[in-house]
Amino acid sequence: MTPERYCQEKAARSGSSFYYSFLFLPEPQRLAITALYAFCREVDDVVDEASEAEVAKLKLAWWRHEIARAFSGEPSHPVTRALQTPIQRYHLPLEYFQEIIDGMQMDLDYQVYPSFKELSLYCYRVASVVGLLSAEIFGYQDRNTQAYARDLGMAMQLTNILRDVREDAHRGRIYIPLDELQRYQLSISDLHQGKTTDNLRALFTAQAERARAYYAQAMAHLPRQDRYAQRSGLIMASVYQSLLAEIEADGYRVLEQRIKLTPLRKLWIAWRTARQESRLHRQLLKTGQHT
């Protein structure tokens, strides 16, 4: 199996919404973003699948060494071998990959986050940094696009946290800040009850509003001339905002059932968004505002 094929299968097996946004990219970018996603899956699996924290820390240390080897031209893992060309072609910084691993290690150091300050660092490392790397792969003209990528990553991670709150709690991980639980007169045990009280619904509504604020902030940062290059991120934003709308429409009953979009709906959202961005791009070219 080639390194590229390994990454492709890793991405496809995950069933992630990200897979649908890759479909509309030219091959070099598609291979690059798939390798990046496979790297994120590998280091995330280290934490999710390890039975002991010390074993997971050793494995993350191995990945730190292995990604450094990719930058020095001596990788041994299929994922880091697949990353070699993208690293050189798109000038991806080593520090970003190391920061992603730092974020995964936070899962071993924190079972609950005291406040949003600590949680926001976690979200930045595991999601915003991935957004920044993705923006480099997709390309941009205006540096404001970096702020867009950072905030979009934050928004999508906050959406994930809300969607997965039940599963995470059962695994002993709480991503709702402790001070916000207390503000709504709730405790960690309330996240294990499987019943949506008025206080829980108010808490989850506040989490959704924070995510929406980050989506709005991200879109405000994105320059018009970079929208088409960043269309994969916009596809993901559309999918995740649709998921957030479904959670709201269901009354924030995320402790009672997992809210998800069907693969067909994700594909339709991806196609619709890609078509819309192509239309906007053509209009931009006609008006001569694109350089």
Side-chain angles (χ1 to χ4, degrees), residues 99-206:
E99 191 129 34
I100 291 169
I101 298 173
D102 288 342
M104 300 304 172
Q105 183 143 343
M106 288 181 75
D107 271 332
L108 304 173
D109 299 331
Y110 285 87
Q111 286 188 315
V112 61
Y113 289 82
S115 70
F116 186 67
K117 178 181 177 181
E118 292 83 6
L119 180 68
S120 64
L121 175 60
Y122 170 76
C123 293
Y124 172 78
R125 286 173 166 173
V126 302
S128 292
V129 171
V130 179
L132 290 166
L133 283 166
S134 301
E136 296 298 328
I137 292 169
F138 300 149
Y140 55 87
Q141 298 177 51
D142 190 319
R143 295 185 71 84
N144 282 322
T145 296
Q146 293 176 322
Y148 146 82
R150 179 198 65 216
D151 288 343
L152 182 58
M154 184 73 73
M156 293 196 294
Q157 185 64 23
L158 292 171
T159 304
N160 274 340
I161 286 170
L162 184 56
R163 179 195 63 192
D164 298 338
V165 64
R166 179 180 65 170
E167 291 86 348
D168 289 334
H170 287 163
R171 292 208 310 264
R173 292 191 192 143
I174 307 299
Y175 296 103
I176 306 290
L178 186 59
D179 64 344
E180 294 179 25
L181 277 166
Q182 294 168 345
R183 190 179 309 153
Y184 288 92
Q185 300 179 328
L186 295 163
S187 66
I188 291 171
S189 62
D190 290 299
L191 300 178
H192 293 275
Q193 299 304 318
K195 182 181 178 183
T196 310
T197 63
D198 288 343
N199 284 15
L200 279 166
R201 187 173 286 107
L203 172 71
F204 295 152
T205 299

Side-chain angles (χ1 to χ4, degrees), residues 38-76:
F39 169 78
C40 295
R41 291 284 356 132
E42 290 285 352
V43 292
D44 190 43
D45 288 347
V46 166
V47 176
D48 285 346
E49 296 172 6
S51 55
E52 296 180 17
E54 291 308 311
V55 173
K57 287 179 181 179
L58 285 172
K59 290 183 176 181
L60 289 179
W62 182 89
W63 274 105
R64 289 184 198 279
H65 179 67
E66 178 62 16
I67 195 65
R69 285 171 64 90
F71 276 79
S72 65
E74 300 175 324
S76 59

